[in-house]
Amino acid sequence: MTTIKDVAKLASVSISTVSRVLNNSGYTSEETKKKVFEAVENLNFRKNIVAAAMINKQTSTFGLIIPDIKNVFYADLTRAVEDAANQHGFNVILCNTDNDLKKEAEYISFLLQKGIDGIIFSTPEIKNRNIKEVIKSRPDLPIVILGSKVVGVQVDEVLVDNFEGAYNATIHLLELGHKKIGFIAGQPDSYATIERQKGYEAALEEYQLSLDLENIMLDEFKVGSGYNKGKEMLLRKNRPTAIFAGNDAIAVGVYKAARELDIQIPEELSIVGFDDSQYAEIVYPSLTTVRTPVLEMGEKAIEMGILLSKKNKKFKETITFQPELIVRSSTSELKVTKKD
Amino acid sequence: MTTIKDVAKLASVSISTVSRVLNNSGYTSEETKKKVFEAVENLNFRKNIVAAAMINKQTSTFGLIIPDIKNVFYADLTRAVEDAANQHGFNVILCNTDNDLKKEAEYISFLLQKGIDGIIFSTPEIKNRNIKEVIKSRPDLPIVILGSKVVGVQVDEVLVDNFEGAYNATIHLLELGHKKIGFIAGQPDSYATIERQKGYEAALEEYQLSLDLENIMLDEFKVGSGYNKGKEMLLRKNRPTAIFAGNDAIAVGVYKAARELDIQIPEELSIVGFDDSQYAEIVYPSLTTVRTPVLEMGEKAIEMGILLSKKNKKFKETITFQPELIVRSSTSELKVTKKD
DNA sequence: TTGAAAGCGCTAACAA
DNA sequence: TTGTTAGCGCTTTCAA
C-alpha cells in the first residue's frame, strides 16, 4: 500500500507538506504543489480515509435506516439518498430494520462505532425511542428524519404533506360523486397513516359526510394488507364505491381483491393510491395516486445531514414538500345505480 | 467519547489488557475479565472500529455494486446480501452505477480508500474492465461476482443457471403446443441475456424448430423495453403465440403491450418471465416465471466474501444455483385456430 | 513556506 | 497473566 510517506519521499518534501497540499490547507508554494501532485499521480496514491478519520472524525459515510429495501417506496427513496450522497462525496450504509426497534438499535450502535458522519432515519413509527436515545448520547451527531416525524424529539425533518395529499385524494373522489369512500392504510402508529387519515376525514367533513368507521381499516403498508382488508371491505353488502389506499402497495392489493370479486375498476370501484411508485403505471388500469417527491426529499435529507456535519447549526428545521395528485385511470365518476 | 483508556482506568488495568479481553486474544484471568466487562458496561463503552481498522485492516464493511436499487430484482438481492452481512457482523455500502463503468470505477476507488473488506459485484456486463483492474491492483481484496460472470477474470462467482432456467421456460411453452415463441431480453452483452438466449435456442432446437430471428429482440431488462419490443413483436402479422421474457420486468411490459392491442393473456398469448420477483404476483393474470433464488445467492455471496477476507484461499469457485419454473396463470395451451 | 513531532484510539509484539 | 511501548497513516500544532 502506498502511503503519504512514499509520496513525500518521491516529491522530496515532508509528509506534512504532502498533507497540506492534499487537503489544500496552510501555505504551500506552487512549485511544491506541483511536485506533490506529480508524485501522487506517479504512485497512483489515494489517501487512506480510515487514518484520516482518526483525526478529523469524518468518514464521509452516512447510515440510512429504512424498514425494507424490497418495498419499492424505500427503494426509490434510497436511490435518491444514495445519489445525492455520492454527488457530495459520501457513501451510504444501508440498514434494513423491518421496523424492529431492537434491530435498529443494534444498527445504530454499530454505525456509531464506525464513526459515520450522520444518520438518515426513514422509519415510519411516530414513537421511536432509539432516535431519542442517540440524540441524548450523541447530541452532536447529524440526524435527519426522512418522511416521518417522531414525537418528542427536536430534529431536522424532511416531509411530504401527508394531510394535504390525502385531503386532495379524497376530495378528488368526492368530486366524482362518491359518498361511500373506504380508507385502508398502514400501521396506526405510523406518521403517514395518522396524517393521511386526518386528511381523509377532513375531506369527508368538508362534504358533510359522517364518518363510517367500517370504512376505515388499518393494517400494514403492503400489498397483502390491501388485499385482505380490501376483500373484507368489498365483501360488505353496503360496500364503498371508492377506496383511498394509504399507499400504492395497498392499492395494488385492493386491485387484486376487486378482480377476485369481479368488481370492475374504475366502473364499479374507484381507487386512489399514495406515493406514485413504480406500481402505479404497472397495474391495469393505471393508478390514480398522490405523488410523493421522493427524489427531492432524499436529496434534501442528505444535504441537511451534510450541512449539520459541517456547521454546528443552532436550530432545527422541518421541510415539507407538497404532494401532487396524479389522475390516471383507476378513478371515474360514480354511476348512479338504482339502489342509490 | 469514552475510549479504551477510560475503561482501563476504571478497571485498574492497562489498556492492553482491556484490548485483550475485548478481543478475546491472549491470556486474561477470569477476574480481570470480569473487572473489564464491568467497566465497559458502566461506561457504556464501544470500541472505535476506525482506530482498530488502522491496525487489523478490517472495517467490517463490504461494498455492494449494483446497477440500480429501484430495479426490484436488485432490491431483493440487496436485501439478501445486507441481511446476511448483518448477521455476520458486517455492514454494506450501497453503490448504484446505472451500468456506468466510469461511475463504477469511482465507487471502487472510494471504497478502497475506506478500507472496505471486500466488494460484491452484481453487475450484468460480461465485459467489465473495472473488476479486472481491481484484481490487478489489489489481488488480495475479496471479490465476489453475484449473478453474473465476467470474461477473463478468475474470481469467485455465485450464479443461477440461466441456461437451464431459460431452457425449462421455453420447453414449458413448447409442451403447451406453442411453436412461434418470441424472446425478449436485455443488453446483448449481459451474461443473463446470453445464457438465457442459449437456453431458449437449445429448447427450440430440441423441438426441431428453426430459429426465427424476428422473434428475438434484445434491449434492456426493463418494463419499457418489454413494452416497446413486445408491441413491435405483437404487431407483426405472423405474431408469436408465446413470449419468453428475459425477466419479469420485461414480461410486465409485454402485458401492457398485449393489453393495448387487446390480446388476451393467456388465451391468445402465453408469457413466461424470469426471476420470480414481486411483479409476478402483482400482475394479472399472475406470471409464470423462473425463480432465481436471490435469497440463497445473496447469502452465499456474503459468506464467500467473508471467508475470503479471513482465509487466503488458494482457489476460485463458482457456485451455481438451480432455478425453478413457477407455473402460474400467464401460460396456457395453444388453442388451435383456423389459420394453423 | 516548510519540517519535526505529537497524537488520534487501538493492537500486538515484547518484557516482566 | 499483565503492562510497556511501538506503531497503523494521517493531520496539525509549533518552530524554524
Side-chain angles (χ1 to χ4, degrees), chain A residues 5-30:
Chain A
K5 231 171 172 171
D6 304 313
V7 177
K9 194 183 291 176
L10 188 60
S12 325
V13 294
S14 72
I15 57 165
S16 47
T17 298
V18 175
S19 175
R20 251 180 249 121
V21 342
L22 255 37
N23 298 307
N24 204 22
S25 64
Y27 300 97
T28 35
S29 74
E30 283 307 315

Side-chain angles (χ1 to χ4, degrees), chain A residues 69 72 74-83 94 278 295, chain B residues 64-79 94-100 103-104 107 122-125 187 220-222 247 279:
Chain A
I69 194 68
V72 292
Y74 290 106
D76 287 358
L77 206 55
T78 296
R79 180 66 209 258
V81 168
E82 203 276 302
D83 274 2
L94 181 66
Q278 50 182 292
L295 216 79
Chain B
L64 173 62
I65 298 186
I66 62 173
D68 183 10
I69 193 69
K70 287 188 291 183
N71 179 324
V72 293
F73 173 74
Y74 289 107
D76 288 359
L77 205 57
T78 296
R79 180 68 209 257
L94 181 67
C95 310
N96 293 285
T97 65
D98 287 320
N99 290 326
D100 178 339
K103 208 171 160 193
E104 184 180 80
Y107 269 118
S122 190
T123 62
E125 324 87 33
Q187 298 79 344
E220 287 189 87
F221 280 119
K222 293 182 176 171
N247 76 346
Y279 288 160

Side-chain angles (χ1 to χ4, degrees), chain B residues 33 45 72 109 144 169 174 182 212 219 256-257 283 291 320 334:
Chain B
K33 251 182 205 162
F45 168 79
V72 293
S109 163
V144 179
L174 289 164
D212 181 352
D219 191 15
K256 211 169 161 185
V283 292
R291 184 174 175 280
T320 309
L334 175 63

Side-chain angles (χ1 to χ4, degrees), chain B residues 205-273:
Chain B
E205 196 176 347
E206 179 129 342
Y207 271 65
Q208 294 165 344
L209 291 171
S210 63
L211 218 56
D212 181 352
L213 288 183
E214 282 204 312
N215 276 342
I216 298 181
M217 293 186 174
L218 306 184
D219 191 15
E220 287 189 87
F221 280 119
K222 293 182 176 171
V223 176
S225 303
Y227 173 74
N228 291 329
K229 296 300 170 190
K231 203 147 185 183
E232 205 176 313
M233 204 176 263
L234 293 174
L235 235 28
R236 291 213 322 263
K237 234 174 52 202
N238 191 31
R239 71 167 197 240
T241 62
I243 290 179
F244 169 39
N247 76 346
D248 290 355
I250 289 176
V252 166
V254 174
Y255 269 65
K256 211 169 161 185
R259 204 146 41 212
E260 283 189 16
L261 299 173
D262 207 29
I263 295 172
Q264 300 304 310
I265 302 169
E267 292 79 5
E268 302 172 86
L269 178 70
S270 284
I271 301 181
V272 183

Side-chain angles (χ1 to χ4, degrees), chain A residues 261-277:
Chain A
L261 299 173
D262 207 27
I263 296 172
Q264 299 305 310
I265 302 169
E267 292 79 5
E268 301 173 86
L269 178 70
S270 283
I271 301 181
V272 182
F274 205 113
D275 286 345
D276 194 25
S277 68

